[in-house]
Amino acid sequence: AMGIGDMSGDVFGNGMLLSSRLKVLAAFDHRHVFLDPDPDPASSWRERKRLFDMDRSSWADYDPALISRGGGVFPRTIKSITLTREVRDMLDLDTASATPNEVIRAILRARMDLLWFGGIGTYVRAAIETDEDAGDRLNDGVRIMASELRAKVVVEGANLGVTQLGRVEAAQRGVRLNTDAIDNAAGVNTSDLEVNIKIALAPAVRDGLLDDAARRALLAGMTGEVADLVLRNNRSQTLALSLEERGGPSSLAVASKLINQLEAAGRIDRTLDKLPEDGKLNGRASAGRGLTRPELAVLLAHGKLALKDHLQAAGIGVGAFLAGFVEDYFPSELVGSHPELVARHRLFAEIARTELVNAMVDRGGLAIVAEALDRNGAEIGALVRGFDLARTVFGTEATYRRLDGDAAMPVAQRLTFQGELRDLLVSATLWFSSAFPAEDGRSVLAAEYRAGAQRLGPLLGEVLPSDDRAELERRVGEARSHGLQGPDAEPLSRLIFPDFILDTIYVAQATRLPLASAARLYGSVGERMGLRALLTRAKGLPVSDKYDAQAMAESLSRIRAAIRSIASDIGAREVAGGGPDEPRPEDGMPAVHALLAEMLSTGLSVTKVGLAANAVAALASPVRSTATSPPRARREPRRRRP
């Protein structure tokens, strides 16, 4: 690692103590240049810790005996630094001496794993920018261009250590970095949580229910859990970036839609926010590239702010299920010992909205924001309830945290599972918001569908159509190859079948068929017409722009709804013993199957999927019956007011 700062600074000092195996080769601040070409990790860590604990320390206080051969500490006021062979090799310099500014530029350009910004200043800009654009005259003499960065990872503990265009350019060249807002988020998060805890405790102190000593003890006792909550939030936020980045060009259609939504609402300025115009987005799609992490960080941040205002305008911030988000925000010790203070928090609605938005965006990504901003009034309320139902029914939060804690699983495989978990959450959110838009019976509905999903999951290997069953077996084998054994492998492998699970439960409730029978019926309807194969192939079909993406999503939704409708009608007639003269969707299946087979053999397109949706919807509409209406959950009993 190399960096900007010294051990007396909180950002640099804390960061350089996070691992006793870290090799800090070079650093600089406004006073000194520190060079240590081959440090011993253990002894250098102890020395950094000593300086960190020392009041107002500098690199000049570093014990010279612990600096490796060829290194040293040099004031920035001297005219030149004599470069030893070890330093020249480390910094790829070929001169016997260099000015302090030349050495600093060499440090910024050096080959390293980690470049850690802990001091003040903008040290990297894009090639298309000038030093004036960077807006930091003090460091004009040491600034480099993003194309010169050779660090694998850049962390911005300082504000604007790299310009936004510099970040984008570096990311496109393979450097791993976020933005300063992302990398500094934990400090802001900690301060917010501390303030809100103290606001919660204030009434108890004022009313004499909590004396100062007890308050101090309570605050001190929550320190560890506050840290855990903050780190959990930061992991969730950076995971959202990783999953969006992983989508590459396939996620550009949704990103383009959201950028246009935010721009139309006056919430972003593409020039100021350094977000690409539509033409450049199309160019990236053609080149097989998506948005970079720094661009995604800006877009997700604006998306969160817009969604929060959208929810406030719709009056969403109170309600029984939102109380859970507030309780999860605070340490369990506070919620457990003083639940009434949390419930009466004067910022309850604001905290609820913030936590809801964080959960929806971090877990649902750009797609959930774009969908939400298209809705108003009751529709946005239905989407929020759909999200809560989806995460409750499938237990997604527990699965996310379980994956987070599985250090043995390869990162790429973990991201694959987490990406499928996000897709499941978005798909199930839209499903619930469409099938059950009303508030009535939410908790009963959640319990019924959760129980149904838990019962159906282990049966998938028996009831899925043949192609899907083969895919499930492949995925279970893949999960086991990455260290998940027995029953642990199967829940993660079932993430790719949310529509099958939810539609089956729907059909079972609409027809009163046993769950396994409903699953076989639903699967056979889709398989007999070739619809399951079409749905599978259509998921991977590239879309050229946001309009194609929207058309594709609507067509797939109509196809799944039609399969539900046809299966529910057939099942209802089986249960009721329907007469032979009633309309039978089975009679039209061969024609639809032939049409779909021709489409699949000649290559799918957005237009063909739309035509397939029309054909299957026409087959479903003559046979619609009361059995295909959304089965209503039982109403929850009214609670008497105390």
Side-chain angles (χ1 to χ4, degrees):
M2 302 188 193
I4 298 93
D6 62 79
M7 293 310 298
S8 67
D10 59 345
V11 174
F12 187 89
N14 277 300
M16 295 299 98
L17 290 176
L18 287 175
S19 171
S20 59
R21 296 175 181 174
L22 204 63
K23 297 181 73 172
V24 182
L25 307 182
F28 65 88
D29 64 359
H30 62 288
R31 298 168 294 184
H32 300 98
V33 176
F34 170 79
L35 302 171
D36 193 3
D38 187 24
D40 173 68
S43 62
S44 62
W45 183 89
R46 287 192 294 270
E47 181 63 2
R48 290 196 303 276
K49 180 69 165 63
R50 185 182 71 82
L51 296 190
F52 184 75
D53 293 335
M54 179 188 296
D55 187 35
R56 303 172 68 85
S57 69
S58 74
W59 286 118
D61 296 306
Y62 201 100
D63 185 350
L66 296 176
I67 296 178
S68 60
R69 182 172 181 172
V73 177
F74 307 91
R76 286 187 65 172
T77 54
I78 62 176
K79 290 186 177 181
S80 67
I81 297 173
T82 300
L83 303 178
T84 63
R85 179 180 57 80
E86 292 82 4
V87 169
R88 291 199 301 270
D89 290 345
M90 177 178 73
L91 299 180
D92 293 321
L93 292 171
D94 56 5
T95 59
S97 65
T99 67
N101 278 2
E102 288 171 336
V103 172
I104 287 171
R105 284 197 296 273
I107 290 172
L108 293 169
R109 290 193 296 256
R111 292 170 284 111
M112 69 188 94
D113 296 311
L114 173 67
L115 176 59
W116 188 278
F117 284 88
I120 298 171
T122 302
Y123 294 93
V124 184
R125 62 169 173 85
I128 62 172
E129 294 178 301
T130 65
D131 285 328
E132 187 177 352
D133 293 327
D136 176 26
R137 286 191 175 184
L138 187 64
N139 288 298
D140 283 353
V142 296
R143 189 172 300 112
I144 67 168
M145 291 188 294
S147 58
E148 298 177 278
L149 278 173
R150 291 190 291 169
K152 294 178 182 177
V153 177
V154 173
V155 174
E156 282 189 82
N159 292 326
L160 204 64
V162 185
T163 67
Q164 178 65 3
L165 287 178
R167 294 171 188 140
V168 174
E169 183 179 328
Q172 290 176 329
R173 295 175 61 85
V175 178
R176 304 292 291 170
L177 76 170
N178 299 310
T179 65
D180 51 359
I182 295 294
D183 291 345
N184 282 315
V188 178
N189 192 174
T190 304
S191 298
D192 286 347
L193 191 49
E194 178 187 358
V195 169
N196 280 321
I197 289 171
K198 289 177 177 177
I199 289 174
L201 296 178
V205 174
R206 183 193 61 225
D207 297 339
L209 302 175
L210 194 67
D211 62 28
D212 188 60
R215 174 182 175 276
R216 287 174 180 273
L218 183 58
L219 289 171
M222 291 187 283
T223 301
E225 191 176 357
V226 166
D228 291 340
L229 290 170
V230 168
L231 291 173
R232 185 185 76 190
N233 289 344
N234 279 254
R235 281 196 299 271
S236 174
Q237 184 167 246
T238 50
L239 173 61
L241 287 176
S242 294
L243 294 179
E244 290 294 344
E245 181 190 29
R246 204 163 182 264
S250 64
S251 64
L252 280 176
V254 172
S256 176
K257 176 182 179 180
L258 180 56
I259 290 172
N260 281 286
Q261 286 173 315
L262 295 171
E263 190 172 42
R267 301 199 67 103
I268 64 168
D269 181 313
R270 291 198 204 213
T271 302
L272 294 177
D273 291 307
K274 307 298 188 288
L275 290 170
E277 299 292 337
D278 285 345
K280 289 186 177 179
L281 287 172
N282 293 336
R284 289 203 199 177
S286 300
R289 294 186 289 115
L291 292 179
T292 64
R293 287 180 78 88
E295 291 167 320
L296 288 167
V298 169
L299 188 53
L300 282 168
H302 280 297
K304 284 185 176 183
L305 292 170
L307 181 53
K308 187 176 178 182
D309 289 346
H310 203 51
L311 295 179
Q312 184 173 5
I316 294 174
V318 293
F321 81 93
L322 283 174
F325 287 95
V326 178
E327 291 173 358
D328 286 345
Y329 170 79
F330 286 109
S332 58
E333 186 172 350
L334 176 63
V335 176
S337 61
H338 298 283
E340 73 289 350
L341 298 179
V342 172
R344 295 201 304 266
H345 199 289
R346 62 184 176 87
L347 297 177
F348 184 96
E350 288 82 358
I351 293 172
R353 274 192 294 270
T354 299
E355 290 305 290
L356 173 61
V357 166
N358 282 338
M360 291 181 72
V361 180
D362 287 353
R363 298 314 194 198
L366 298 178
I368 206 80
V369 185
E371 180 68 32
L373 296 183
D374 270 346
R375 302 183 179 213
N376 289 298
E379 288 186 339
I380 186 68
L383 188 75
V384 168
R385 287 191 294 275
F387 173 78
D388 185 56
L389 282 165
R391 73 202 295 263
T392 302
V393 166
F394 287 103
T396 55
E397 199 56 35
T399 307
Y400 266 119
R401 292 179 188 176
R402 178 169 169 269
L403 287 169
D404 253 352
D406 193 344
M409 185 183 294
V411 172
Q413 184 59 40
R414 188 160 68 238
L415 282 173
T416 296
F417 283 134
Q418 288 166 326
E420 288 169 351
L421 195 57
R422 181 189 62 175
D423 294 343
L424 174 149
L425 192 55
V426 173
S427 177
T429 295
L430 297 177
W431 192 97
F432 277 115
S433 68
S434 173
F436 300 100
E439 173 69 33
D440 289 354
R442 190 203 63 82
S443 64
V444 174
L445 188 67
E448 290 177 347
Y449 268 76
R450 181 170 176 80
Q454 289 174 340
R455 292 201 310 273
L456 183 59
L459 300 176
L460 285 180
E462 304 169 20
V463 300
L464 278 169
S466 55
D467 288 347
D468 290 330
R469 193 159 57 246
E471 177 63 10
L472 175 64
E473 291 170 358
R474 186 188 72 79
R475 295 303 300 278
V476 169
E478 187 179 68
R480 287 175 178 161
S481 72
H482 291 293
L484 294 173
Q485 297 301 321
D488 286 340
E490 294 175 10
L492 291 176
S493 304
R494 294 197 292 266
L495 298 177
I496 56 176
F497 299 106
D499 61 316
F500 186 93
I501 291 171
L502 293 173
D503 284 342
T504 291
I505 299 170
Y506 182 105
V507 171
Q509 291 198 342
T511 61
R512 304 307 177 195
L513 282 170
L515 203 57
S517 301
R520 291 188 178 92
L521 172 60
Y522 174 77
S524 69
V525 168
E527 194 170 36
R528 283 156 66 186
M529 288 190 288
L531 287 168
R532 294 298 298 174
L534 182 140
L535 289 170
T536 300
R537 291 266 295 275
K539 283 181 180 178
L541 194 67
V543 290
S544 59
D545 55 34
K546 60 185 178 182
Y547 302 108
D548 275 358
Q550 184 173 348
M552 176 68 77
E554 291 177 355
S555 295
L556 296 180
S557 178
R558 290 175 64 210
I559 289 171
R560 287 192 290 266
I563 299 175
R564 266 198 326 260
S565 175
I566 293 170
S568 296
D569 184 83
I570 294 172
R573 283 190 291 104
E574 286 180 3
V575 172
D581 296 332
E582 294 179 1
R584 298 171 59 86
E586 298 96 318
D587 298 336
M589 285 185 185
V592 174
H593 183 272
L595 173 66
L596 297 182
E598 182 183 353
M599 288 181 177
L600 289 169
S601 66
T602 56
L604 274 185
S605 66
V606 175
T607 302
K608 288 180 180 179
V609 174
L611 291 173
N614 290 341
V616 72
L619 184 63
S621 51
V623 297
R624 289 218 172 122
S625 68
T626 55
T628 64
S629 300
R632 294 180 62 82
R634 295 186 297 275
R635 286 182 178 272
E636 299 173 55
R638 290 185 178 274
R639 295 184 177 88
R640 292 188 178 184
R641 291 185 180 276

